[in-house]
Amino acid sequence: MTHQLVLIRHGQTEWARDGRHTGRTDVPLTPTGEQQARDLAPLLEPYRGCPVLVSPLQRASRTAELAGLGDAVVEPELVEWDYGAYEGLTTPEIRELAGPSWTVFADGVVPGDSPGESLEDVARRARAVLGRVRPLMTDSDVVLVGHGHQLRILASCWLEAPPAFGARLLLSPASLSVLGEQHDVPAIVGWNVAAQD
């Protein structure tokens, strides 16, 4: 396979700016997030005309639109981690409830208004997305527009690493990352590149 998988994390939202876990809550981009998405357009020039799959949440679809990625297809499995009772909470707030060393990758979530998902649940969805895009990559690069934790786990699955490896792959709002292969070994081609870098 010579084609690449391009990952785009959506632009800034108010919740992301404030460090709140934003899973299934459909929050919009801030004005800053909208500008970040526009600023991605020049970086995406090499991928114009490639298949684009996007999360169903507006922060991802709006990022794709503002970055000039037309004809995006909604991919339900690209939705962010369901954080259950931790939805909308910051890490310090969750650590008051779950203990001072809590991390979502190591300790997961608990049910709340929604049941939440385990790390493996999110990885299962990520693998389903990869199963869908790999056939497309025989002819073209493919662009995915989604969310921080979900894309970090997807990248771990691409690399054939445990899903928890995603904890080590930082992903900023409105960033571009590229996955590919070298000598048939899954690899990171570029990671967490922002327009201002």
Side-chain angles (χ1 to χ4, degrees):
M1 176 172 28
T2 59
H3 296 288
Q4 298 176 328
L5 185 59
V6 180
L7 310 181
I8 305 295
R9 183 182 172 192
H10 64 77
Q12 182 196 74
T13 66
E14 183 179 337
W15 279 26
R17 180 196 65 209
D18 297 343
R20 297 171 68 182
H21 284 75
T22 316
R24 305 297 173 91
T25 303
D26 202 6
V27 298
L29 298 176
T30 63
T32 296
E34 291 193 348
Q35 187 58 53
Q36 289 172 332
R38 288 184 197 95
D39 291 344
L40 278 172
L43 294 178
L44 294 169
E45 195 60 40
Y47 309 106
R48 300 280 177 238
C50 295
V52 178
L53 281 66
V54 63
S55 160
L57 298 175
Q58 66 174 310
R59 57 193 184 267
S61 59
R62 183 72 172 142
T63 296
E65 175 189 346
L66 292 172
L69 297 171
D71 299 322
V73 175
V74 173
E75 172 51 67
E77 302 291 9
L78 276 174
V79 73
E80 180 61 295
W81 197 325
D82 180 344
Y83 296 121
Y86 298 155
E87 180 76 6
L89 300 180
T90 65
T91 295
E93 289 170 336
I94 298 168
R95 286 178 171 175
E96 287 179 15
L97 302 169
S101 63
W102 176 89
T103 70
V104 71
F105 282 95
D107 304 301
V109 303
V110 296
D113 290 340
S114 68
E117 288 182 292
S118 70
L119 176 62
E120 189 50 47
D121 291 334
V122 184
R124 191 174 307 112
R125 289 194 291 105
R127 291 184 195 106
V129 173
L130 292 175
R132 179 169 177 195
V133 301
R134 279 192 169 104
L136 301 175
M137 293 175 69
T138 59
D139 299 318
S140 173
D141 295 331
V142 176
V143 180
L144 304 180
V145 185
H147 309 277
H149 281 149
Q150 203 275 346
L151 291 176
R152 291 162 69 182
I153 294 166
L154 185 143
S156 299
C157 293
W158 175 269
L159 296 169
E160 301 171 356
F165 182 73
R168 291 165 171 78
L169 299 173
L170 302 183
L171 202 55
S172 302
S175 61
L176 177 146
S177 300
V178 181
L179 302 175
E181 292 182 345
Q182 185 176 43
H183 308 299
D184 300 320
V185 176
I188 295 174
V189 177
W191 191 259
N192 202 31
V193 177
Q196 65 271 18
D197 285 353

